[in-house]
Amino acid sequence: MSVDGSVWLDALGAMRDAPAAVRAMFASDGAVEPLPEPLPREWLAIHEEHGQTFDDFARTAVRPHAGARTIYIQPVDTADALSDTCLATIAAFAGAFFQMDVRVRPLLVLDSSSLVTRLAPDAGTPQVYAGDILARLYADKPADAFCVLGITARDLFPHPIVSFAFGEASTTCRVGVVSVARYGPPFCEDASGRHPGEMRKRCCRVIAHEIGHMAGIAHCIYFRCLMNGSSSLAESDRRPLHLCPVDLRKLQWLTGFDFTERYRRLREFWHAAGEAPEADWIAGRLQVAGGMRVNPDP
Ligand SMILES: [Zn+2]
Ligand SMILES: [Zn+2]
């Protein structure tokens, strides 16, 4: 399924009541790519998605109140898969992306006997029911949490008839969990050996996607977007690391962030990570947001 220009303009919603900075930001095309027709077995070929307009979102989304503006990252049974440095990098990205405080909680080790487990139907490797982890995260959710996102090395399944999930989240309870199990062997070659930044980009992509769901943003059908659904690692890797204009407007409405400050921090993050294409894309957006002079180095 693809959408024409008038559909996404409708999805962006009327701008007449929006703040001046928002109107200015969305006056240009957003430098985004259209979403092509899905290939067989890609997400939109096998899932019926109707899209969520800005107006749909604003009718139902709940803005974080002053006492609950912290995103908690909760490592769950990460074993040796994620170092403290890696978790700090993920937290720095989430802070820049969502413009909210982010804290990493101490490692949570779960007793397998308390979890529903099975062997993955596609790979025969151990899996955990994601709902069990969500229930545990919700039971321990801090009072000042906007949301709690678990990150685990265990492979997840969200439903008995689904082979696996990269992540699962509850918008109502604002808890979620993502898995890094399929970012390396035996599901794919060792990402760190192929490209040192590949694991980092995958982690950043999946955590922003699931936190986006917890913020109330549904799957995107309008552009190539971080909020596109994905049914394979290859399809997941094709998603950009940023939001399309429709979903960016939702996030800005939710948290009220300053575009210039957000893009400045994201540009610094990707520059420090050595990801020049993403840093350059962000720099272009920063110019639109602030009309400011952009130096080659942050
Ligand atoms: Zn999703
Ligand atoms: Zn989008």
Side-chain angles (χ1 to χ4, degrees):
M1 175 182 184
S2 63
V3 294
D4 64 30
S6 63
V7 172
W8 86 259
L9 279 173
D10 287 346
L12 190 59
M15 283 289 159
R16 60 183 175 277
D17 297 325
V22 173
R23 292 201 304 273
M25 195 67 221
F26 294 108
S28 69
D29 65 8
V32 287
E33 294 178 55
L35 192 58
E37 290 290 333
L39 300 171
R41 305 193 63 77
E42 285 193 335
W43 184 268
L44 286 177
I46 53 180
H47 293 86
E48 184 83 14
E49 297 266 19
H50 300 287
Q52 178 197 49
T53 68
F54 171 78
D55 291 336
D56 291 338
F57 171 82
R59 268 194 297 274
T60 56
V62 179
R63 286 175 162 132
H65 61 77
R69 293 187 61 89
T70 299
I71 295 169
Y72 283 90
I73 305 285
Q74 172 68 75
V76 180
D77 294 342
T78 45
D80 298 326
L82 291 166
S83 66
D84 288 348
T85 302
C86 188
L87 288 167
T89 300
I90 289 168
F93 173 71
F97 193 95
F98 291 96
Q99 294 286 287
M100 299 175 83
D101 293 334
V102 181
R103 291 187 200 156
V104 178
R105 303 188 86 185
L107 175 66
L108 175 64
V109 178
L110 296 178
D111 179 356
S112 290
S113 66
S114 68
L115 306 169
V116 173
T117 60
R118 73 174 188 184
L119 296 179
D122 61 339
T125 45
Q127 285 185 312
V128 171
Y129 173 53
D132 283 351
I133 297 179
L134 297 187
R136 177 60 185 269
L137 297 180
Y138 187 62
D140 294 337
K141 190 177 178 185
D144 65 342
F146 169 70
C147 66
V148 179
L149 181 71
I151 182 164
T152 183
R154 291 179 182 261
D155 194 28
L156 303 173
F157 71 97
H159 189 279
I161 64 168
V162 177
S163 296
F164 76 95
F166 293 114
E168 177 79 350
S170 164
T171 302
T172 308
C173 299
R174 283 186 174 163
V175 292
V177 61
V178 298
S179 168
V180 300
R182 297 198 175 222
Y183 295 166
F187 299 101
C188 67
E189 63 182 298
D190 184 355
S192 61
R194 187 158 55 100
H195 184 299
E198 200 62 39
M199 182 71 163
R200 175 175 45 218
K201 287 196 290 186
R202 286 173 175 165
C203 288
C204 289
R205 194 181 282 115
V206 74
I207 63 127
H209 182 96
E210 293 305 329
I211 296 171
H213 280 327
M214 287 189 275
I217 302 174
H219 281 148
C220 180
I221 64 167
Y222 304 109
F223 294 101
R224 280 202 188 278
C225 173
L226 181 74
M227 293 309 296
N228 295 148
S230 65
S231 56
S232 68
L233 186 57
E235 189 178 13
S236 179
D237 284 348
R238 280 197 290 276
R239 292 182 300 190
L241 288 151
H242 45 260
L243 296 170
C244 77
V246 177
D247 292 317
L248 181 65
R249 190 179 180 203
K250 295 172 191 173
L251 186 59
Q252 201 282 332
W253 180 92
L254 193 82
T255 66
F257 63 68
D258 176 82
F259 288 104
T260 301
E261 172 61 16
R262 178 174 184 269
Y263 282 132
R264 184 182 292 123
R265 283 180 60 187
L266 282 170
R267 182 173 63 111
E268 288 173 4
F269 177 87
W270 289 118
H271 179 85
E275 297 290 348
E278 188 63 17
D280 290 347
W281 189 92
I282 295 290
R285 294 286 85 201
L286 181 56
Q287 283 185 307
V288 174
M292 60 184 289
R293 187 171 146 268
V294 179
N295 297 316
D297 294 307

